Every structure is written in C-alpha cells, then in structure tokens.
Amino acid sequence: MCRALVIGVAMPAALPANLLAQAPVFTDVTDAAGVRVNFLQSGALPNVFLAGAAAGDFDADGWTDLFVLGGGAAPDRLFINNQDGTFTDRAGAWGLSRLHRGYGVAAGDYDNDGFLDLFITSGQAHILYRNTGPDAEGGFAFQDVAAGAGVSTNTGGSHDGWGASFGDYDLDGDLDLAVGGWTFNSQGNRLYRNDGPNEEGLCTFTDVTPTAIAFDLSTTRGFSPRFCDMNNDRYPELLWVSDYRTSRYLRNNTDGTFTDLTEASGTGHDSNGMGTTIADFDADGRPDWYVSSIMNDAGGAQDGNKLYMNLGDHVFSESAAARGVDDGGWGWGCVSADFDLDADMDIAETNGWGGQWGGEQSYLFLNDGAAGFTEHAVASGFVHNGFGRALINLDFDNDGDQDIALYSSNDGFWLFRNDSPGPDARGWLRVLLDTQAHPRLAPHGVGATVVLTTDDLAQYRWIYTGSNYLSQSELSAHFGLDGAQQIDELRVQWPNGLVTVLTDVVPNQTITVSACAADMHPDNALDFSDVLAFMTAFAAADPIADLADPPAVYDFSDVFAFLVSFATGCD
C-alpha cells in the first residue's frame, strides 16, 4: 500500500526551542509488528463512520494487546503481544474471529474476575465477550453472553449503537455500561447498571436510563459516552459526546441519578461532537474536556474542536481557538498523553472526509506547559492522511513512552512506535492498579485518581475506559518527568475514599499499585492507626469500611474482611 504524504498539506508552525529539543519521534511499525488489517466492509452501502479497536492486556501477562474489528467482510482480530515488538493474531483460537459489522469497542472486567472482557456494538446484535481466563495450556477463551446479560441491543426497534464505555457510576465496585446511539429518535443512548451475578453466576445489567437520567436522550445523536469524576466528589459524571450540537454534560447526583448541566456548565458548544479525551491540560488538578468536531474553512456553524477548561464546581471555559487546538479538520478519534515526557499532556487527533477535508493529516498538538499547543504531527513522523476513525495510546513495547495506534475506514490499521530519544533520561512512570483484594472497588482501579509529585509539580491522571471514538486506550496512568530524578510521592485516590501513598518511588518503571483494604491511614504500613481509622469509619458507615458483600451493609463480614487484610498485609 502506498503511503505518500499528500502534496500541499499545511506544515505546522515552528515549535518553540524548548519543545523542539524534545519533540517526539514516531515510526510506522505496522508491518514489522504484524498488525496489518484492512477494514473490509460488507453491504451495498459501506459506512465511512466505522473502524473500531481497543488496547488492553487481555491475557494478563503485563504487555498490552490489540483488539481490532474487521468491518463485516473480514473477521475481527485479537493481536496478542509477543513481548518482542511483534503480535500474533489469536482471535480464531480464542473465540473472537466473528464475521460481523462491528462499530465500537469498550474493554473492562465487568464480572470482576481479573480478566478484561469486551463489549462491542454491532450491526447484527451487540456482543459482550466474557474472558474466561487461561486454560491448562495457557490459552484463553471468550464467550458471548450479551443476551443473557441483557445488553445485546440498546433499542426497541431498529438497531443503533456506536461508542460505549464502562464505569462505576454508583460506586458499588462493579462496572456499569453506557452505550451511545446516533440514529435520530432511536432510543439508542442507554445507561445500564451492573447488578452483579445472578443465581447462575452470570453478571447481568438493568437498563436504568429512564430513572437515572431525567433528560430525554432520544434526540441526542450519541457517538462517545464517557464516565469521569469532574468535580472531585468521587462519583463520575457522564460526558455524552454527540453529533449535531447534542453533546451533554450529565452531573452525577450521587444517588443513582444524573442531572443535565450542559448549558449551566458552559459545555455542549461542539457542532459535531465525535471523539473525546479528558486530561489536566493546565496543571491545576482538575480534569479538562476536549471534544473533536468539524472545522469548516468556509465558516458557519462548523467551528472546530472544543476544549472545555475546568474552573471547578461544574463550570467550564471553552478555549480551543485561544489555545491552538480548534482546527483538527473533520475530527474523529482523539487521545491525550505526555508523548514527549515533559510533564504536561499533549493531544493527538485523527480526521478525514471528502471535499475540503480530503487528504488532511492527523494532528499532534504539543503542550507548552501552560496549555498552549503547537501542531507537530508530520515533523514527528505521525504521518497519516486517510479517513482516520479510532485512535489509541498505549505502550506496546514497555519502553516507557506512549505509542499510537490508528484505525482508518479506507486504509486500515496503523501502529506508530514512539522512538523519542532518551525516555529514561527524561524520566517516566507508568502505573497500573490492582483492586482484586477489594470487592467494593471497580476492577483495574477504574474511577481512581493518580497523583504524582516531583519537586513542586503535581500531575493528575484519571483511570477510565473509552470511548475515544469507537475505541479505547490502555488502562494506565502514565507520567513524563521532564528530567526529574526522583518521585517524591505517588498518591492513588480510590473511588471509595481510600488513599494509598507511596514515597520516593524509583522512576523509569511500570509499577502496579494494589488497593489494601486495611491501610486506612495512608502510609503503606499497617499499625494501630489503621485499626482506629477502621473502627471510626465502621461506626460512621463510611464507604471505606464497606469491605464485603452485601454493599452498603456494615456488619461482621466487613470487620472480618478488614482483619484478613490487616493480617495478610498490603504487599
């Protein structure tokens, strides 16, 4: 396949000297890694909106894998990481090589057994693949349980389903599910509550949309729903990125319901919301919200991407144009990561359509440290000008910097390795979360806030699942250190209020932080102060003392769970 740069594409403005010195370098390793996929659609009317994928450690070996939808005329692929820069497709052997018209992908451990599962919106019926874990020979198997779980369709009539996202909106320790529906008045935008295992041991979902969301979502043209706690009360909001000026900001009322605060929050200005990413772009400790949309050179209503800067208390200021990130062409998937390891969050975005948007490059916006951005994709080797849709950030080679995967509806799947020089000299830390020992925390720490402090700088990351636009990035908190030689503190703020604190962490490594139910006094050590803290929390029915089933019931089972955790330690 010819991959030539289109002549006449506008080149990026010159980078400031401090950014140019450490601008990231990307290399196309698609063929070398063995992940070449052409998106082959079936039917008389190919859907140019599609091309979904997800990153995740599906075999739990510490290396990120890739799940890639086939399009309808080709089977889906599961590329398992060989730990040497290459991948092997295991979809057929593991039960994932279905031939269907797949739309979007969300990955999450919905049944809390320690293994990532997959939810896929599909043109026939939605799919919920339960990962059953390894067999005696080390192989894995996935079983479609969507019908039994109650999520095989999100409409009562014609099929509709686009992006999806897992999240624990009621903080009961399991993953709920939001599904976007784009077709007008299809009732496709739905929120499903995870009710845990039934008598047969299968986790099931209940559609709670009518009771949980007072706002009528039937006219919302949903593409990319996402859970994230935007006001630091631990309960995640629902950000529903949608087409035709119908994006919604839904505040979590902490009682199982949501209130539409779109207008009051100063959001919802995107003319054609497609993809979304959430990060602290100005280093004030609050999550900001970036939405990809359409920039029309002829002017009019299509006025580009939106960057909603978080002012606190559910109030935002839109500043995409002022900060240099409003023009992303006909934008689709987008992600945020510290690609150059300079301790601030950058943005990558893919795009593509016909007409004035034909042959337009994907974008890489580098943060100057004060949330001003300069575009640098072509100069960094992130060269793609097809119809990009899904976009993913991941560290597939475990070398400390974030790579990019891109999926296009007209020229297939791409994998760009981050080859920026000297990642260890610049410094990095990649954090994974383990909640297996704590039944009241969502799997893989979904909903947690991770804060890293070096000198006087605190960096914030939030653990949440997709949708970037039909796609999902890896579940990690990744930090660039900008040359800092020591990490003073790493703090994990778990969704139930528990806090884990590590000090003097060694840089340049991937670490896993486990939630220790007994560490009530956050010093990563167990002593009488933790016993006293538990007794106080238990007496007050504080959620951090809710350590055992059933949820929100404080009895001897919680005391016993604390004693077991205290006796076994936090290691």
Side-chain angles (χ1 to χ4, degrees):
M1 179 182 297
C2 180
R3 299 192 168 190
L5 179 63
V6 173
I7 302 300
V9 173
M11 298 303 290
L15 279 175
N18 64 318
L19 290 184
L20 185 60
Q22 58 180 32
V25 176
F26 289 94
T27 303
D28 175 9
V29 295
T30 311
D31 291 315
V35 294
R36 169 73 60 215
V37 175
N38 292 320
F39 190 73
L40 301 176
Q41 299 191 49
S42 60
L45 296 174
N47 196 323
V48 295
F49 286 31
L50 302 186
D57 185 4
F58 297 106
D59 58 353
D61 66 349
W63 294 74
T64 303
D65 312 305
L66 291 162
F67 177 78
V68 183
L69 293 173
D76 299 339
R77 313 289 183 89
L78 177 63
F79 292 110
I80 295 299
N81 197 321
N82 296 325
Q83 306 181 15
D84 61 359
T86 69
F87 295 79
T88 298
D89 181 13
R90 303 289 187 192
W94 293 6
L96 292 170
S97 59
R98 182 176 298 191
L99 193 67
H100 69 112
R101 193 183 180 100
Y103 285 57
V105 185
D109 182 8
Y110 85 97
D111 57 355
N112 203 3
D113 66 352
F115 299 102
L116 281 177
D117 311 297
L118 285 163
F119 177 78
I120 303 164
T121 54
S122 174
Q124 286 78 44
H126 302 327
I127 301 165
L128 178 60
Y129 281 122
R130 178 175 175 262
N131 185 342
T132 62
D135 58 24
E137 287 73 39
F140 282 67
F142 288 78
Q143 300 173 345
D144 181 10
V145 297
V151 293
S152 61
T153 179
N154 57 318
T155 59
S158 61
H159 174 83
D160 188 20
W162 293 83
S165 179
F166 286 108
D168 185 10
Y169 79 89
D170 50 4
L171 301 192
D172 65 350
D174 53 31
L175 292 178
D176 311 300
L177 178 66
V179 182
W182 180 80
T183 305
F184 181 75
N185 207 27
S186 73
Q187 304 296 327
N189 295 289
R190 314 308 292 174
L191 174 63
Y192 295 96
R193 184 189 65 220
N194 189 332
D195 292 329
N198 59 16
E199 293 180 356
E200 289 75 36
L202 174 67
C203 289
T204 60
F205 293 82
T206 298
D207 182 357
V208 296
T209 315
T211 55
I213 302 175
F215 180 82
D216 181 9
L217 290 174
S218 63
T219 59
T220 298
R221 309 294 292 274
F223 274 139
S224 305
R226 196 160 226 179
F227 296 91
C228 189
D229 175 15
M230 304 299 284
N231 69 330
N232 198 32
D233 69 350
R234 298 184 285 109
Y235 286 83
E237 274 59 57
L238 258 174
L239 310 183
W240 216 286
V241 172
S242 311
D243 208 351
Y244 298 112
R245 293 191 183 276
T246 62
S247 289
R248 297 286 174 243
Y249 182 96
L250 303 176
R251 182 191 66 196
N252 192 326
N253 298 323
T254 77
D255 61 359
T257 68
F258 293 82
T259 298
D260 179 23
L261 288 188
T262 308
E263 183 175 357
S265 66
T267 63
H269 299 299
D270 38 290
S271 61
N272 302 90
M274 310 290 193
T276 179
T277 188
I278 302 162
D280 180 12
F281 295 111
D282 57 355
D284 66 354
R286 294 188 289 256
D288 308 307
W289 182 22
Y290 181 78
V291 178
S292 63
S293 187
I294 302 172
M295 173 62 84
N296 191 339
D297 292 343
Q302 296 169 326
D303 54 359
N305 306 321
K306 301 301 175 185
L307 178 56
Y308 303 111
M309 303 302 293
N310 193 334
L311 305 180
D313 197 25
H314 301 296
V315 176
F316 296 79
S317 174
E318 201 291 301
S319 63
R323 297 180 185 276
V325 293
D326 59 327
D327 188 356
W330 190 301
W332 296 94
C334 55
V335 296
S336 52
D338 187 359
F339 291 112
D340 51 8
L341 304 179
D342 64 350
D344 54 42
M345 295 296 280
D346 311 305
I347 298 171
E349 177 185 343
T350 191
N351 58 64
W353 199 257
Q356 73 178 65
W357 302 277
E360 187 163 5
Q361 276 293 321
S362 291
Y363 288 76
L364 177 64
F365 298 107
L366 298 181
N367 193 332
D368 65 3
F373 295 84
T374 302
E375 205 291 310
H376 204 251
V378 174
S380 288
F382 179 42
V383 179
H384 179 263
N385 51 34
F387 283 17
R389 297 297 178 258
L391 199 65
I392 292 167
N393 62 280
L394 72 162
D395 184 5
F396 82 88
D397 51 359
N398 281 7
D399 69 345
D401 49 30
Q402 288 286 296
D403 313 301
I404 296 176
L406 183 155
Y407 203 12
S408 168
S409 63
N410 72 341
D411 64 0
F413 192 78
W414 298 60
L415 180 61
F416 294 92
R417 186 182 63 214
N418 191 335
D419 288 331
S420 302
D424 286 356
R426 296 178 184 180
W428 58 275
L429 189 74
R430 181 165 167 251
V431 182
L432 308 176
L433 301 182
D434 179 8
T435 58
Q436 281 292 291
H438 202 306
R440 296 274 69 82
L441 292 176
H444 294 97
V446 170
T449 302
V450 185
V451 186
L452 179 146
T453 303
T454 55
D455 299 325
D456 295 326
L457 176 64
Q459 299 186 56
Y460 286 73
R461 304 287 186 266
W462 293 267
I463 304 294
Y464 47 78
T465 73
S467 167
N468 309 331
Y469 176 78
L470 307 181
S471 55
Q472 180 174 312
S473 297
E474 69 175 21
L475 290 173
S476 70
H478 173 266
F479 300 87
L481 303 182
D482 196 28
Q485 300 300 306
Q486 178 177 313
I487 298 167
D488 298 326
E489 180 182 274
L490 182 71
R491 175 180 293 261
V492 180
Q493 300 168 186
W494 305 97
N496 69 340
L498 192 69
V499 176
T500 299
V501 177
L502 304 177
T503 57
D504 298 326
V505 178
V506 177
N508 303 333
Q509 62 171 325
T510 295
I511 67 170
T512 297
V513 179
S514 299
C516 179
D519 190 15
M520 295 282 176
H521 186 263
D523 55 6
N524 206 40
L526 298 182
D527 53 30
F528 182 72
S529 65
D530 298 293
V531 177
L532 181 61
F534 172 77
M535 293 171 58
T536 302
F538 183 84
D542 190 310
I544 65 172
D546 185 13
L547 304 181
D549 289 329
V553 175
Y554 299 86
D555 56 21
F556 182 74
S557 62
D558 300 296
V559 177
F560 182 74
F562 172 79
L563 293 174
V564 169
S565 179
F566 189 88
T568 56
C570 294
D571 295 331

